[in-house]
Amino acid sequence: MVTTIDDLVERAREGVHRPRAREAYQAQLDGALLVDIRPAAQRAAEGEIPGSLIIERNVLEWRLDPTGSHRIPEASGYDVEVVVVCSEGYASSLAAASLRELGLHRATDLDGGFVGWAAAGLPTRQGG
């Protein structure tokens, strides 16, 4: 049996609460890490979320593994709330599932991605 990308995304989302834009914004205000995994060209074209951490997808697990030698200071433990952001909320579902496999049990992703955030009228800035 072949697994499709749709199957992988569906499995990654099973039993996981995925906040929409306004809820993710409140989580960020309350101290959650909003982690933007989009590549630089996409951020430049679409914009960025002020206060989000920019960690491109190819190094995400290395930067957020609390026991890793390449972690960022914010990766202080397994209880850190992480909301992963991509453009529309698909790649971020897979990335959040990978973080949960590392033990970051509060990792989730933004339902609707950056596009949904911007459409909700939440703060954005020009990407750089």
Side-chain angles (χ1 to χ4, degrees):
M1 175 176 238
V2 174
T3 299
T4 67
I5 188 62
D6 291 334
D7 295 332
L8 287 178
V9 170
E10 184 178 332
R11 256 188 269 152
R13 292 176 175 172
E14 282 179 7
V16 176
H17 174 69
R18 299 176 66 232
R20 296 211 44 91
R22 294 204 178 278
E23 185 181 355
Y25 179 60
Q26 187 59 54
Q28 181 189 34
L29 294 175
D30 293 341
L33 301 180
L34 213 60
V35 179
D36 191 335
I37 63 169
R38 295 173 299 150
Q42 199 167 32
R43 292 190 316 272
E46 295 177 345
E48 296 179 354
I49 298 172
S52 64
L53 294 174
I54 306 300
I55 305 175
E56 290 192 15
R57 178 67 188 97
N58 64 322
V59 295
L60 180 69
E61 291 84 355
W62 283 268
R63 299 300 180 259
L64 292 179
D65 180 353
T67 64
S69 60
H70 294 86
R71 72 183 176 277
I72 60 172
E74 293 86 352
S76 58
Y78 293 102
D79 200 38
V80 172
E81 184 178 3
V82 178
V83 180
V84 182
V85 178
C86 69
S87 183
E88 295 182 4
Y90 294 95
S92 58
S93 292
L94 299 175
S98 180
L99 293 176
R100 289 191 301 276
E101 285 188 44
L102 286 176
L104 294 159
H105 62 97
R106 297 178 70 195
T108 189
D109 71 303
L110 176 59
D111 188 359
F114 179 84
V115 171
W117 179 282
L122 293 170
T124 63
R125 66 174 179 235
Q126 185 173 0

